Amino acid sequence: MSNATRHLDDAAARGDGSMPSDDLDTEERFLPLVVLGEMVIMPHMTIPLQVPQGKSYRAMERAWDEDHEVLLIFVREGELEGYKSNQPQQLPFTGVIARLEEFAKLPDGTARVILEGLHRATIKSAIQIQPFYRVNCLPVYDIDEDGMEIQALMDTVKQQVDEFVDHLGEVPQEAVQFVHRIERPGHLADIVTWGPAFDFKDRLEVLNTLDPVDRLRKANMVLARQLELLKLRAKIQQDTKEVLDQSQREYFLREQMRVIRRELGEDDDSDDPIDELRRKVAELVAPDYVKSQALHEIKRLAQQGMNSPEAGVIRTYLDWILNLPWAEEEHAEISIAEAQKVLNEDHFGLERVKERILEFLAVRKLAGNKMRSPILCFVGPPGVGKTSLGRSIARALGRQFIRTSLGGVRDEAEIRGHRRTYIGAMPGRVVQGMKSVKSNSPVYVLDEVDKVGTDFRGDPTSALLEVLDPEQNNTFSDHYLEIPFDLSRVIFIATANQLDPIPSPLRDRMEIIEIGGYTEDEKLGIARGFLVPKQREFHGLKTGQLEITDGAVLKLVREYTREAGVRNLERELATLCRKVARKVASDGDPGAEVVLETYVIDTADVPTYLGPERFSFGLAEEHDEVGVATGVAWTSTGGDILSIEVLPVKGKGGLLLTGQLGDVMKESAQAAVSYVRSKADQLGIDSNYFEEHNIHIHVPEGAVPKDGPSAGITLTTALISAMTGRTVRRDVAMTGEVTLRGKVLGIGGLKEKTLAAHRAGIRTFILPKENAKDIVELPEKVRQDLTLIPVTSMDEVLRVALNPIAVVVPPLPITPVVPPPVVVH
């Protein structure tokens, strides 16, 4: 165990506490121990105390009878109880030898004492525990040092004491002068440590430092740190006082200006922002809860002042409340005839959609606000006029129109807004749109609702549930406003290209109206009635300067565009108008009057303006072929036809599928092979054919992914054709899912698929019987030009699609199989 600390239980084992005789001639002292709390008594200091009964009391009582000297140690308040008990304790390394100047017993059992610190002492061991502590200690005396560095350090500490006194104030000048008279570094450090800049930890650290110069350096560091804190605190107080003084000064000046105006008869409360806001709230036509919230915010603003950091946030919030349309509006009576006229002026075709819109308007006219407005959702490929239908509805009703694109929105706050606690918080897009049109009953189009995304910032589609629910949106809650906003009078219309990405709860709240692609005749009518006049006007051409024939428009539709809508057709017409506009602008000399010349663009002129054809019109096969069948597919831009090729080659019964086929389409091909193997005898196919041949099934345009079960009957037909050598009719297209038993199941997207077949020049279309009910929804032109044959089994498909007469197949690198005649029932 080191000399720094000794355990009291070890000291108790050394005897009864008597002073060893052999230590009399040494400097070691055997003094009673007085344990004090966190009040450190340094050497050269005199402190009066009142001591209660206990070991320290008895120690000082014995010292008063002896030589009046005790050893002082200082511990934290929580450690005093341990010294009062007989529990072993660790003594500190350093204490202070003090002289008892007075020891007076008081009637209450305590004693009033005056202690004068003399010098430090290192504690070696404890030699007695009862009835008080007595320790063996060695006095430590400061060794005086001199030098310029020490003198400079002392001057610095004295200057710090002066600065400290300047900041604190109310310090007696005698005390400051006493500090300046000290000439020894250790003495100066001990006296300075008693100042308020030092806490118990700092004083104990100075006490334990025996070297006087090091002790003074530590005192210097503590004083420097405390001075910096005092300066910083003073600066903060000064800055705060200046801000408050400025606010009070402005307040008094404004009050004086108001009094002066009142005396001059020029009182105008509108100059006061708070009064102006209160006036606007009083004039606002809104529900009571809105006015109550606004007045509450105005009260907060008045209490905090216009210069407070929160004032800008409150003013912005009040501006939103004051500018939102809260009052119910009166609208002109709905005229169904006028609405029908507007719809026909703006859109060609779309009869079923127009009929549903007119029914919707008729119910609005008769029921008024008794029935909640249903949410219409127009679903269809791009360019078919979904958004413009919403604009036409707004024009027919005489209402404002808003359009918000939701494509790529991933943050829920885009719909519901941000909390006002965030910097730069704003309401959501719905409330922003209502403010922009200043109407609470507009026609609101939510575009591309199927392209809303989801990530860590929330699910915007979940926020749309409340917006698009007629039972809930009368109390729509925006996070920024924090008060209900009535959306029940808004006519919401959603648009989407596909239904699958829309979550089921959101889809359930909307009435789905599907808009298919246009036929050639409809595109021709749209171009003639809408697109050509529009582009001619946009390009500064007069009616007599440009004429585009119907043949030229049809050529654009067939060979320069491939789409369900008319967006690309409009772009090509715009290109023709630009070409002609350049010619018209170049006619004549500069400054001369432009001669009106009519430019007629016919079928043969289109390649001159637009270059060679981009697409092949009529993708149907040119000849009846073996192993090639024509199918149809649904795409996001409408429909398209595709040829399925089957080629058997000599092998060991393998099946190879190419053309970027999805899993479902691969399963359809495997089901087709299994069906053909089960019907091999009836089809006249040799029983060993499948073991001796590999079958390669390919769907051209291999870079385009393809999937779905609707090509089942097409795959089966091409497979049977390749194995039997019977050709497939080139003017027949088909769609339908096939089972292992040869049953034909229903499919989706019949309208898009029949339109694609019609564009390709197909004359016969095979479809599942389950889809026969959908034929009435097909355009009249398609029903007239296509022979639609509903089927229930592959036997019926083969009877229509395959030519009945077997043909001789050209030699292949395999041994051809000559099947017997097939009897088709």
Side-chain angles (χ1 to χ4, degrees):
M1 183 179 299
S2 67
N3 292 330
T5 58
R6 292 292 186 270
H7 287 285
L8 297 182
D9 53 349
D10 296 338
R14 300 179 59 177
D16 59 356
S18 62
M19 187 179 300
S21 60
D22 56 348
D23 290 342
L24 291 175
D25 297 333
T26 66
E27 292 185 3
E28 292 184 355
R29 307 288 299 278
F30 301 91
L31 299 177
L33 181 67
V34 176
V35 182
L36 299 181
E38 297 185 7
M39 184 181 66
V40 182
I41 300 176
M42 290 290 188
H44 315 293
M45 299 179 64
T46 301
I47 301 295
L49 294 174
Q50 187 170 353
V51 183
Q53 290 285 340
K55 288 187 175 185
S56 294
Y57 180 96
R58 292 191 289 272
M60 287 188 282
E61 186 179 26
R62 174 64 62 87
W64 186 253
D65 295 336
E66 296 176 351
D67 58 357
H68 294 195
E69 289 189 355
V70 294
L71 181 69
L72 306 179
I73 65 172
F74 314 98
V75 297
R76 295 187 182 277
E77 295 294 337
E79 300 176 6
L80 285 175
E81 294 299 326
Y83 285 96
K84 294 177 181 178
S85 65
N86 293 325
Q87 296 295 327
Q89 298 291 331
Q90 272 192 329
L91 294 171
F93 174 69
T94 308
V96 175
I97 297 176
R99 179 186 300 277
L100 271 171
E101 298 292 343
E102 180 182 335
F103 183 82
K105 297 181 180 180
L106 301 177
D108 60 356
T110 62
R112 183 179 70 250
V113 300
I114 297 177
L115 291 171
E116 179 188 1
L118 300 178
H119 42 76
R120 287 171 175 77
T122 58
I123 303 172
K124 301 185 66 176
S125 61
I127 60 175
Q128 176 182 324
I129 293 180
Q130 294 294 345
F132 54 85
Y133 294 121
R134 187 183 291 271
V135 296
N136 179 11
C137 61
L138 184 64
V140 178
Y141 300 95
D142 290 346
I143 300 176
D144 292 337
E145 298 183 21
D146 199 2
M148 295 183 62
E149 182 180 355
I150 296 175
Q151 187 62 41
L153 181 59
M154 293 181 64
D155 292 342
T156 301
V157 172
K158 293 177 182 179
Q159 184 179 358
Q160 289 175 328
V161 171
D162 292 340
E163 293 182 19
F164 208 90
V165 170
D166 291 340
H167 281 285
L168 292 180
E170 299 182 0
V171 177
Q173 287 298 317
E174 294 80 1
V176 179
Q177 293 172 2
F178 172 73
V179 171
H180 279 276
R181 287 196 297 269
I182 298 175
E183 297 180 353
R184 289 182 294 143
H187 187 191
L188 178 61
D190 292 341
I191 295 300
V192 168
T193 306
W194 186 248
F198 293 78
D199 57 14
F200 174 71
K201 181 180 177 182
D202 295 331
R203 291 169 181 167
L204 211 56
E205 185 177 358
V206 173
L207 176 66
N208 292 329
T209 305
L210 301 182
D211 183 84
V213 179
D214 291 343
R215 195 185 313 155
L216 188 59
R217 288 195 180 99
K218 290 184 177 179
N220 175 34
M221 294 296 295
V222 175
L223 283 173
R225 183 177 70 248
Q226 292 298 325
L227 277 173
E228 288 297 325
L229 290 175
L230 284 175
K231 292 177 181 178
L232 183 59
R233 188 180 299 117
K235 181 179 183 303
I236 294 173
Q237 292 175 350
Q238 180 64 26
D239 293 345
T240 306
K241 183 176 181 299
E242 290 177 358
V243 171
L244 294 176
D245 290 345
Q246 179 67 19
S247 300
Q248 292 175 353
R249 179 173 176 272
E250 291 179 357
Y251 172 77
F252 287 127
L253 288 175
R254 281 196 297 269
E255 290 299 317
Q256 290 176 1
M257 290 175 63
R258 291 179 61 185
V259 172
I260 293 172
R261 290 196 190 95
R262 189 179 299 113
E263 293 297 327
L264 294 175
E266 300 176 356
D267 189 13
D268 186 4
D269 290 338
S270 63
D271 292 340
D272 187 358
I274 302 296
D275 293 340
E276 175 69 12
L277 289 172
R278 287 197 178 97
R279 184 184 61 80
K280 289 182 178 180
V281 171
E283 295 175 355
L284 181 65
V285 181
D288 292 339
Y289 64 85
V290 177
K291 291 187 175 183
S292 175
Q293 178 71 12
L295 292 174
H296 172 71
E297 295 296 327
I298 292 174
K299 183 178 179 182
R300 287 183 57 215
L301 183 61
Q303 292 173 346
Q304 297 185 11
M306 298 300 293
N307 294 318
S308 68
E310 189 74 12
V313 177
I314 299 175
R315 286 293 301 269
T316 304
Y317 178 75
L318 290 171
D319 288 342
W320 275 100
I321 289 183
L322 294 172
N323 287 283
L324 282 174
W326 300 96
E328 186 173 352
E329 301 176 29
E330 295 292 335
H331 295 282
E333 186 177 356
I334 300 173
S335 171
I336 303 300
E338 182 65 23
Q340 184 173 8
K341 177 183 176 183
V342 170
L343 291 174
N344 290 332
E345 287 177 355
D346 293 347
H347 295 85
F348 184 87
L350 304 177
E351 300 303 331
R352 179 170 170 267
V353 179
K354 292 178 182 178
E355 184 67 23
R356 177 61 187 90
I357 293 173
L358 292 175
E359 293 172 359
F360 167 77
L361 298 180
V363 173
R364 294 282 300 190
K365 177 179 181 179
L366 297 178
N369 293 327
K370 296 178 183 178
M371 188 188 74
R372 299 290 187 186
S373 299
I375 311 299
L376 304 180
C377 181
F378 298 146
V379 179
V384 295
K386 301 183 294 297
T387 305
S388 60
L389 274 172
R391 200 183 305 273
S392 297
I393 294 174
R395 191 160 76 92
L397 292 174
R399 298 196 182 193
Q400 298 289 337
F401 175 78
I402 317 172
R403 173 187 170 274
T404 295
S405 178
L406 300 178
V409 172
R410 296 179 179 272
D411 191 352
E412 180 191 359
E414 293 281 346
I415 308 299
R416 285 192 177 275
H418 300 83
R419 300 284 183 189
R420 277 189 288 161
T421 53
Y422 295 105
I423 296 176
M426 291 183 65
R429 294 194 181 190
V430 176
V431 174
Q432 290 181 35
M434 304 299 289
K435 177 189 175 185
S436 64
V437 297
K438 300 186 182 304
S439 170
N440 68 348
S441 55
V443 176
Y444 204 131
V445 172
L446 298 171
D447 241 345
E448 313 294 350
V449 74
D450 58 328
K451 297 177 179 61
V452 177
T454 302
D455 64 5
F456 66 94
R457 291 166 289 188
D459 184 4
T461 57
S462 299
L464 285 174
L465 295 178
E466 183 182 2
V467 176
L468 299 181
D469 191 341
E471 300 298 327
Q472 300 181 34
N473 60 12
N474 60 328
T475 56
F476 173 67
S477 176
D478 187 275
H479 288 161
Y480 182 84
L481 293 180
E482 296 179 341
I483 51 177
F485 189 85
D486 188 3
L487 296 176
S488 61
R489 292 185 290 271
V490 180
I491 299 178
F492 284 104
I493 297 175
T495 71
N497 296 130
Q498 303 177 46
L499 273 179
D500 294 339
I502 304 176
S504 299
L506 183 58
R507 194 187 317 168
D508 183 62
R509 284 164 167 77
M510 302 185 294
E511 180 179 344
I512 307 300
I513 299 178
E514 296 188 1
I515 303 176
Y518 295 112
T519 63
E520 285 186 355
D521 290 347
E522 288 175 334
K523 289 183 178 181
L524 180 60
I526 293 171
R528 186 190 303 117
F530 299 92
L531 302 183
V532 173
K534 173 183 173 182
Q535 292 301 322
R536 195 159 46 200
E537 179 183 356
F538 282 177
H539 291 81
L541 298 173
K542 294 182 172 56
T543 304
Q545 291 178 311
L546 173 63
E547 180 181 344
I548 302 176
T549 65
D550 292 350
V553 174
L554 285 176
K555 188 174 182 65
L556 293 177
V557 171
R558 295 173 176 175
E559 300 177 1
Y560 287 86
T561 63
R562 181 180 291 178
E563 59 178 344
V566 292
R567 199 164 280 159
N568 288 325
L569 175 60
E570 185 174 10
R571 292 191 185 101
E572 299 301 332
L573 290 171
T575 303
L576 293 178
C577 291
R578 287 197 303 272
K579 303 289 186 183
V580 173
R582 180 181 176 183
K583 290 186 175 182
V584 172
S586 302
D587 287 345
D589 297 328
E593 183 180 356
V594 177
V595 180
L596 290 179
E597 179 182 350
T598 301
Y599 290 89
V600 179
I601 300 178
D602 203 351
T603 307
D605 302 322
V606 173
T608 305
Y609 289 93
L610 301 180
E613 297 83 356
R614 300 187 182 94
F615 304 100
S616 299
F617 170 71
L619 292 178
E621 300 294 333
E622 297 181 0
H623 306 286
D624 297 347
E625 296 187 33
V626 175
V628 180
T630 303
V632 285
W634 179 92
T635 67
S636 60
T637 59
D640 202 356
I641 71 168
L642 68 161
S643 298
I644 296 179
E645 303 174 346
V646 177
L647 179 64
V649 294
K650 184 172 288 188
K652 297 181 179 180
L655 177 63
L656 178 62
L657 304 173
T658 57
Q660 277 271 53
L661 306 185
D663 292 338
V664 178
M665 199 165 183
K666 290 178 181 178
E667 293 173 358
S668 296
Q670 293 168 355
V673 172
S674 298
Y675 170 75
V676 175
R677 294 188 70 164
S678 67
K679 300 290 184 178
D681 293 339
Q682 300 179 21
L683 296 173
I685 302 173
D686 185 68
S687 58
N688 297 325
Y689 187 90
F690 293 94
E691 285 74 17
E692 298 174 354
H693 294 81
N694 290 337
I695 299 173
H696 186 173
I697 300 177
H698 178 68
V699 183
E701 294 189 48
V704 180
K706 311 167 189 71
D707 201 4
S710 61
I713 65 173
T714 315
L715 286 164
T716 307
T717 302
L719 193 61
I720 294 174
S721 171
M723 293 180 179
T724 60
R726 297 173 63 182
T727 56
V728 182
R729 291 174 53 189
R730 64 182 182 84
D731 61 342
V732 174
M734 61 195 77
T735 182
E737 181 180 358
V738 68
T739 68
L740 293 175
R741 298 174 297 163
K743 300 294 184 182
V744 179
L745 304 181
I747 48 85
L750 180 65
K751 180 178 180 180
E752 287 77 10
K753 293 177 178 180
T754 53
L755 288 174
H758 184 266
R759 286 197 303 266
I762 298 296
R763 290 294 173 261
T764 303
F765 192 87
I766 301 175
L767 68 153
K769 194 169 185 178
E770 293 181 17
N771 293 103
K773 62 182 182 300
D774 301 325
I775 293 178
V776 294
E777 299 181 2
L778 301 180
E780 181 66 26
K781 179 67 173 177
V782 173
R783 285 183 289 172
Q784 290 178 357
D785 293 350
L786 286 183
T787 302
L788 302 170
I789 303 178
V791 296
T792 58
S793 66
M794 276 305 304
D795 292 339
E796 299 177 44
V797 174
L798 297 177
R799 189 179 301 121
V800 177
L802 295 182
N803 288 312
I805 303 174
V807 298
V808 179
V809 183
L812 296 173
I814 61 172
T815 304
V817 177
V818 181
V822 178
V823 179
V824 180
H825 299 284

